[in-house]
Amino acid sequence: MNIISYLNIKQKQPGVFSFILPLQTKQYNFKNNIETILNSDIKSDLSNITVERDILSFNVLREDYIKQLLESNYHKVDSSMLIDYSKNVIVEFSSPNIAKPFHLGHLRSTIIGNYIANINSYLGNNVKRINYLGDWGTQYGFTQVGIEMSNFDNKNIQNDAIKSLYNAYVLANKSAENDISISNKARQIFRQLETGESTAYKEWELFRKYTIKDLKKTYGRIGITFDEYHWESMYRITNLKEVISLMENMNLLEYDKENRKVIRLDVDKVIPIIKSDGTSLYLTRDVGAAIDRYKKYKFDMMYYVVDQTQSKHFTNLIEILHKMNMSWAEKLKHIRYGRVIGMSTRKGTAIFLHDILNEIKDVAREKQIQSPTTKVSLDLSDNSSDILGISAVIINDLKQRRQRDYTFNWDTAFNIKGDTGVKLQYVHCRLCSLEKNSGVTLPTECYPSVLKEPVVDDLICIISNFENIVLRSYQDLEPCILVGYLFKLSYTINKAFETLQVKGETADISNQRLLLFHVAKNVLAQGMKLLGLTPLSKM
């Protein structure tokens, strides 16, 4: 049993570390295991043991604890001590609409959703990452009309699917402004597809295949992968017959004045389910998707990572499922986030994710070219600029409180002296360089009496709090908690660099200090990976 991970540690007096453990919280419960805890992985004599108001506190001898911590190379969460672990979790995130721009809201969803999936996996849950792509509705009809007007063939779309479908959609919409027949044709195409009267669906399936190929290439640059790609069209009206029949058999549906099928959630709250022409709505398809996923995966939690403007939509979704007596409706959770203000590219023209990423990469490369400490070649084979740029944007986003709007500033995001992703990468590279170039052999055994300096205790306390921070971040689903911790860790590592020389010291001092820095590097790298960063060894 690994209990140290869950402790808050401080040094109140020389030679002793003081631990504080809440015995019961939302995520873990030690209340009935005090004796087991005290005899688990704390090997030294304990002192000043007290239990008061569900708070356990005790002291551990400094040298015993440092030896144990560094030799174990920091502790990993024992997820069996969590109240809620080894659960089936679905995270639906990113979810752009094909034939429409991949805008910055989708980028936030991608960054935050990836973190939620990462931290759930790290803590022992069985995670399925789903990208639920919008490919249905009247937008499909407009896209199909635009394809016909543009004389696109499969080869055109295969070479650049996302941009081709978008251009077709824009052309049809613009033409519809002066020709109402185009809008009517778009709605007719969609209705025929919904009701199975059209054979064009196979062609649309081919377009989607090309789209996924494009998206995977772009997601690969951010280090994002999905277990499954789902489509709104999986839940078109012909596939929702069972769901609609269930609603009708439960007498949940009625007709409104516009001849739509609606569901009444309360006296003043009536929600459309089927349009007057018999086609489905986005909400209807989400109901079908939720029911289908529960049947397939029996999830314990499903997170929808979507901006907070969609709060009403998800409230309605959950209320409808409750009306349908789906007891698992409470397992659905909308992970809301705020808007990014001001993150247009410097040219102001990028509307696709790959264009945004190219702009980010160019800014990072300019910074590298200007820096006198750049260690990489910056040739075509080097991808450090891509990784640095993405790190800057990810950390600039995740250091904010999730539900707050924030203003993006290029200079702030890429400032190596500020609290940025570039700074985290710099500290990690510095630690990698130390291990590679110090000429010191990394030891497997720790002799804590050699590590006497006060900054050692500062670094040990921060390293020890890593898992506690991870649990807090998991509990609140707030990545900024972990980001703030990594900034503090990086600051203390840099402070330790000033005091704890590795080169030029006697062998016993050098290798012990290297061991301390090695463990700090591993903690920093693990935290960066949870946030979606790829730790660099040089930049």
Side-chain angles (χ1 to χ4, degrees):
M1 184 182 291
N2 178 14
I3 120 120
I4 290 178
S5 300
Y6 302 87
L7 298 171
N8 285 302
I9 175 175
K10 296 181 180 179
Q11 190 176 46
K12 294 183 178 178
Q13 53 185 297
V16 170
F17 285 120
S18 298
F19 291 88
I20 300 172
L21 173 71
L23 294 175
Q24 187 168 10
T25 73
K26 180 180 176 182
Q27 295 297 343
Y28 47 92
N29 185 357
F30 300 125
K31 195 169 184 179
N32 300 320
N33 298 297
I34 295 176
E35 185 176 348
T36 305
I37 289 169
L38 298 180
N39 290 289
S40 58
D41 53 3
I42 305 292
K43 305 300 185 184
S44 60
D45 292 334
L46 307 180
S47 60
N48 293 344
I49 302 171
T50 61
V51 179
E52 185 176 350
R53 295 182 181 178
D54 284 345
I55 299 293
L56 171 68
S57 61
F58 54 87
N59 295 335
V60 180
L61 293 176
R62 173 188 182 275
E63 291 194 3
D64 288 354
Y65 181 65
I66 290 177
K67 179 177 177 64
Q68 180 186 329
L69 182 69
L70 296 187
E71 287 184 353
S72 64
N73 197 7
Y74 92 89
H75 292 268
K76 179 82 168 63
V77 165
D78 180 355
S79 58
S80 66
M81 301 183 80
L82 290 168
I83 292 174
D84 188 21
Y85 78 101
S86 196
K87 300 295 185 181
N88 295 322
V89 174
I90 291 177
V91 185
E92 181 196 295
F93 64 105
S94 195
S95 303
N97 294 307
I98 69 173
K100 290 186 179 179
F102 188 117
H103 58 67
L104 292 167
H106 294 124
L107 183 58
R108 280 214 84 185
S109 173
T110 305
I111 291 169
I112 295 169
N114 186 52
Y115 171 71
I116 290 171
N118 287 346
I119 201 167
N120 271 274
S121 293
Y122 184 71
L123 293 175
N125 290 328
N126 306 309
V127 178
K128 187 169 291 293
R129 302 158 180 257
I130 292 179
N131 196 349
Y132 185 50
L133 295 153
D135 72 321
W136 213 231
T138 307
Q139 74 167 43
Y140 169 77
F142 277 106
T143 306
Q144 187 66 43
V145 171
I147 289 170
E148 294 171 5
M149 294 173 66
S150 306
N151 294 317
F152 282 152
D153 58 24
N154 286 351
K155 188 174 182 181
N156 294 130
I157 297 173
Q158 183 175 6
N159 290 338
D160 197 346
I162 293 174
K163 189 168 287 188
S164 296
L165 294 175
Y166 171 72
N167 288 338
Y169 175 78
V170 170
L171 174 63
N173 269 273
K174 189 172 182 180
S175 300
E177 293 175 3
N178 301 313
D179 185 352
I180 194 171
S181 68
I182 291 177
S183 297
N184 292 335
K185 184 176 182 181
R187 283 190 287 270
Q188 178 71 3
I189 287 172
F190 175 57
R191 190 194 68 77
Q192 290 174 343
L193 279 161
E194 272 270 86
T195 56
E197 299 172 28
S198 171
T199 59
Y201 188 71
K202 288 186 177 181
E203 184 179 33
W204 189 238
E205 284 182 321
L206 190 62
F207 296 162
R208 293 185 320 181
K209 178 183 175 182
Y210 299 151
T211 300
I212 285 183
K213 183 180 178 181
D214 269 11
L215 284 172
K216 283 183 176 180
K217 188 185 302 181
T218 303
Y219 284 125
R221 289 179 64 179
I222 324 174
I224 304 288
T225 58
F226 292 93
D227 297 302
E228 295 182 9
Y229 284 82
H230 289 185
W231 303 87
E232 275 189 67
S233 56
M234 292 167 59
Y235 306 102
R236 59 193 186 276
I237 198 68
T238 53
N239 295 344
L240 290 174
K241 289 180 179 178
E242 186 177 336
V243 173
I244 301 303
S245 294
L246 177 60
M247 289 181 177
E248 290 175 334
N249 292 338
M250 297 176 73
N251 295 316
L252 296 177
L253 296 183
E254 56 187 81
Y255 284 95
D256 68 359
K257 293 179 181 179
E258 298 175 35
N259 203 34
R260 300 176 301 180
K261 288 185 179 181
V262 299
I263 186 168
R264 188 175 296 276
L265 298 179
D266 59 38
V267 176
D268 300 317
K269 192 174 184 180
V270 179
I271 307 297
I273 296 296
I274 303 294
K275 290 191 283 188
S276 58
D277 65 357
T279 57
S280 62
L281 293 153
Y282 178 64
L283 178 60
T284 323
R285 297 189 285 273
D286 257 4
V287 171
I291 293 172
D292 182 50
R293 290 175 192 174
Y294 190 74
K295 286 180 180 178
K296 287 180 180 176
Y297 308 119
K298 292 295 185 291
F299 55 78
D300 298 292
M301 184 62 71
M302 179 157 66
Y303 296 113
Y304 296 95
V305 187
V306 182
D307 74 85
Q308 54 198 12
T309 63
Q310 297 297 311
S311 294
K312 185 177 179 181
H313 170 84
F314 289 103
T315 298
N316 291 340
L317 171 63
I318 293 168
E319 287 184 20
I320 289 169
L321 291 168
H322 275 302
K323 275 277 189 182
M324 297 175 71
N325 294 329
M326 301 294 172
S327 59
W328 46 266
E330 63 190 23
K331 300 177 187 292
L332 274 55
K333 186 177 175 102
H334 176 204
I335 306 299
R336 301 185 290 270
Y337 57 83
R339 295 176 304 142
V340 185
I341 302 167
M343 192 185 170
S344 61
T345 62
R346 294 175 300 175
K347 296 176 183 176
T349 56
I351 53 174
F352 302 105
L353 179 57
H354 63 80
D355 294 325
I356 296 169
L357 295 181
N358 288 340
E359 181 79 3
I360 290 167
K361 178 181 178 179
D362 290 344
V363 173
R365 182 152 296 221
E366 284 179 16
K367 298 287 185 182
Q368 286 177 291
I369 292 170
Q370 294 165 10
S371 172
T373 61
T374 296
K375 300 289 194 300
V376 291
S377 62
L378 297 180
D379 58 21
L380 292 176
S381 64
D382 175 67
N383 67 341
S384 65
S385 300
D386 226 7
I387 293 172
L388 274 178
I390 290 163
S391 299
V393 171
I394 288 176
I395 295 301
N396 191 71
D397 190 293
L398 297 185
K399 74 179 182 181
Q400 322 291 335
R401 296 293 294 183
R402 173 165 48 82
Q403 294 187 52
R404 288 182 183 172
D405 298 341
Y406 76 91
T407 301
F408 183 86
N409 181 283
W410 286 98
D411 292 332
T412 301
F414 284 82
N415 185 1
I416 194 170
K417 295 181 180 179
D419 289 341
T420 64
V422 178
K423 179 66 172 288
L424 296 181
Q425 290 284 12
Y426 172 77
V427 174
H428 186 265
C429 288
R430 197 175 180 189
L431 290 166
C432 291
S433 177
L434 177 68
E435 285 194 20
K436 182 179 179 181
N437 301 318
S438 66
V440 176
T441 301
L442 185 68
T444 56
E445 191 170 357
C446 176
Y447 298 101
S449 60
V450 175
L451 300 169
K452 299 175 181 179
E453 294 77 8
V455 73
V456 172
D457 296 348
D458 294 341
L459 197 47
I460 288 292
C461 286
I462 291 175
I463 290 171
S464 297
N465 276 327
F466 174 66
E467 301 296 354
N468 183 48
I469 290 292
V470 168
L471 288 167
R472 282 177 50 205
S473 183
Y474 170 68
Q475 180 172 327
D476 297 339
L477 293 177
E478 278 288 3
C480 67
I481 294 172
L482 178 55
V483 175
Y485 167 86
L486 293 184
F487 288 149
K488 187 175 181 181
L489 174 62
S490 296
Y491 169 80
T492 309
I493 289 170
N494 280 337
K495 183 180 174 184
F497 267 125
E498 297 172 4
T499 307
L500 306 178
Q501 299 295 322
V502 174
K503 283 185 177 182
E505 297 287 350
T506 59
D508 57 336
I509 293 176
S510 293
N511 62 25
Q512 292 301 304
R513 288 177 177 176
L514 186 64
L515 177 61
L516 175 64
F517 283 123
H518 174 75
V519 173
K521 182 197 75 172
N522 289 346
V523 173
L524 177 60
Q526 180 63 71
M528 291 169 69
K529 290 173 185 175
L530 285 175
L531 294 168
L533 275 61
T534 301
L536 290 167
S537 58
K538 58 183 179 178
M539 57 182 271

